[in-house]
Amino acid sequence: MTVDRHLLEGKKHIHFIGIGGAGMFPLVQILHAEGYTITGSDNNESDTLARERAMGIPVVLGQRPENIKGADLIVHTAAIMEDNPELIAARQSGVPVIERSVLLGYLSTLYPHAICVAGTHGKTTTTAMITQMLLDAGLDPSAVIGGLLPSIGGNGRRGESDLLVVEACEYVDTFLKLSPDVALLLNIDADHMEYFKTMDNLIASFHRFAAMATTQVIANGDDPRVMRAVEGITAPVVTFGFGEGNDYHPAGITIGEGVRAEFDLIRRGENLGRLALHVPGRHNILNAIAAVAAALEAGADLAHIKRSLHDFGGAGRRFEVLAQLGGITVADDYAHHPAELKVTLESAKGMRFKRVWAVFQPFTFSRTAMLLDDFAAVLPIADKVVLSAIMGSREKNTYGIHTSDLAAKIPGAVWFETFEEIARYVCDRVEPGDLVITLGCGDIYKAAKLIIHRLEEMPAAR
C-alpha cells in the first residue's frame, strides 16, 4: 500500500479520537516526544488516559465536535463508529483525517531498520522482549507495542537510532500499511474471519506482509501456515521453533518454580548457551526464541540478550499478577482468542493453585459467534468460569449473540452484566490458594481492580 511520505509536513497539532486505545498510546508517546501538540478524546476512563494526562496532554472525556478545534491532523481508531459525532465533525472540517494504522505506516517509513512483529498470538510479548533486548544492548530503539512495557513507562518510545520495533496487526490488513525491513511471523490462526472469510485469504495476507520485507523474514518453522505464507519470498528466511530443523531452536528445556523455564539456544548447530525465562508458558519459550533471533540479527550482543531475557517480567496485561491478598492471587491477561485462552489457562493450571477462576470478557460479536464452540471448549480448563457481557467495540450485534449463549455451553459457568456484580460474586466465593485471572482484550481489567478492592476490604486480607 502506498504511504504518504509527506503526511506530517506542516502539521503541529494532532488530535486523537479514541486516544485511550492501546494502539494510539505509543503513537501519542512518540509524537509528543517529537514536539507535536497532542490533544485527544475518549469515552471511557482508563489507566492510559491517566498516563497521558500525566504527560501534560489535554484529554477530554466524551466525544463531541468541539474537541477537534485547532487541530491540523485528526487521527481516529478503527473502533470509532461512522456515526461518532466527533468523527463526523472531523470529516466535515476540511482538516486531514486518517485512521491510526495510516499514521503507524507512515512512522515505519522513517526508520531504515523496522522490525515488524506479526502473528495471531504473542505479538505484544515478543515486541516487548525485542524492545527490551535492544534497549539493554544500548541500541536505543523506537518502539510501538500493544501493551505496557514498564521500563519505557508506556507502550511506545522515541529512540535516537534507526531501529524501530513495531507490533504488526493483521486486522483488516492493517499490517500491509507498514514498511518492514524485517518481518517476523509468529503464527497464523483463525481470527478476524468476519473480514478474511477463509484461511487461504488470511495466509495470503501474511504472505503479502512477508513479501514486503526488504532485509529478512523471521518465521516460525513449526507452523505450517506460516511456512505456506513465506513460500516464494525473495528476502532471506530465518526460521525458529522447537523443531531441530529450525535455524534457532531450544534444547534441554527444564521447567521450574522460580525460574519458569531454562533452555540451551541452538543457532544453526551452534550452542549459544543457557537462557532463563521468568514468564510462564511453553508458548513464551517460542516467543523468547523469536525475540532472541530478531535481536541477534539486529546486532544486539548475546550477553545483554541473556540478561534482558532473564529479567523480563512480561508486558502489561500478559499474565500480569496484580495483587496477592489473603492467599488469593489476582492476575490479568489480554487473551481473547480460544488458542490464547487455552495456553494461558493451561499455564495457570500448571502453577499449583488450589483453583483457577477464569473471568472472561468476550470481545466483538463476530468473534464470539464464529468461535463460540471453541471458546466453550477451552474455558472449562479453569475450575470456575465467570463471564461478562460481550464488548462489541467497533461492531453492532447483527449476529444475535449474547454471553448467555456461551454460558449455556459451559457447565457451571455464570455471567453478569456489570463488573460490580462479577466482583461481588467472585469475592463471596474465592478461597485462599485460588488464582483469579481476568481475560480479554477489552476493559475486563477493571473487574480485576474491583475484585482487588473488595478483597482489601475483607477482614482476612488485612
Side-chain angles (χ1 to χ4, degrees), residues 122-429:
K123 293 186 294 292
T124 297
T125 295
T126 307
T127 306
M129 284 179 171
I130 296 169
T131 301
Q132 193 63 60
M133 290 171 184
L134 298 181
L135 274 173
D136 291 344
L139 298 180
D140 197 18
S142 297
V144 175
I145 309 170
L148 177 69
L149 181 60
S151 64
I152 65 174
N155 299 37
R157 81 180 298 269
R158 173 184 172 273
E160 297 294 339
S161 75
D162 64 359
L163 281 165
L164 171 70
V165 188
V166 58
E167 186 167 328
C169 182
E170 75 278 12
Y171 173 66
V172 297
D173 281 327
T174 54
F175 61 176
L176 300 184
K177 295 184 177 74
L178 297 170
S179 297
D181 297 286
V182 176
L184 197 164
L185 277 64
L186 292 167
N187 43 63
I188 301 175
D189 206 346
D191 200 10
H192 306 302
M193 301 311 285
E194 77 285 356
Y195 172 77
F196 290 107
K197 309 300 184 187
T198 69
M199 182 56 68
D200 285 344
N201 289 342
L202 179 57
I203 292 170
S205 282
F206 273 88
H207 174 80
R208 288 194 291 274
F209 169 73
M212 294 191 301
T214 58
T215 303
Q216 188 179 64
V217 174
I218 301 174
N220 181 348
D222 294 348
D223 189 319
R225 292 167 179 163
V226 168
M227 296 314 292
R228 272 184 60 193
V230 301
E231 287 177 2
I233 296 298
T234 56
V237 177
V238 174
T239 59
F240 68 93
F242 291 111
E244 294 182 3
N246 292 298
D247 294 311
Y248 289 84
H249 66 87
I253 298 173
T254 59
I255 307 294
E257 278 296 307
V259 176
R260 297 296 180 195
E262 288 187 350
F263 56 91
D264 290 335
L265 181 63
I266 312 300
R267 179 180 61 183
R268 304 180 186 95
E270 176 190 6
N271 191 327
L272 299 182
R274 199 80 173 154
L275 275 68
L277 179 65
H278 286 267
V279 288
R282 185 174 172 85
H283 60 293
N284 275 322
I285 296 176
L286 206 58
N287 292 337
I289 294 169
V292 171
L296 282 172
E297 300 287 339
D301 64 279
L302 185 60
H304 280 104
I305 287 173
K306 287 183 177 181
R307 189 177 309 117
S308 184
L309 189 62
H310 179 279
D311 295 341
F312 183 75
R317 301 212 60 216
R318 272 65 182 180
F319 215 120
E320 182 180 5
V321 175
L322 302 177
Q324 293 175 313
L325 298 160
I328 298 162
T329 301
V330 182
D332 178 57
D333 194 274
Y334 198 74
H336 56 282
H337 184 280
E340 296 164 353
L341 291 169
K342 183 175 186 292
V343 296
T344 299
L345 292 174
E346 286 179 344
S347 296
K349 287 289 287 184
M351 295 170 71
R352 299 182 183 178
F353 289 103
K354 181 179 175 182
R355 295 181 302 178
V356 173
W357 291 70
V359 180
F360 176 57
Q361 180 187 51
F363 187 79
T364 72
F365 303 111
S366 59
R367 182 186 285 119
T368 308
M370 292 178 178
L371 302 177
L372 187 68
D373 289 339
D374 296 320
F375 282 121
V378 300
L379 283 165
I381 294 171
D383 301 289
K384 299 286 185 180
V385 178
V386 182
L387 306 173
S388 80
I390 299 170
M391 187 172 189
S393 184
R394 53 189 173 260
E395 298 180 343
K396 297 187 186 298
N397 191 6
T398 58
Y399 297 83
I401 189 75
H402 301 280
T403 299
S404 56
D405 299 319
L406 178 56
K409 289 178 172 287
I410 302 172
V414 296
W415 69 279
F416 299 96
E417 287 287 347
T418 69
F419 294 158
E420 288 80 4
E421 291 173 291
I422 287 174
R424 187 181 309 116
Y425 178 87
V426 171
C427 291
D428 285 348
R429 292 162 178 81

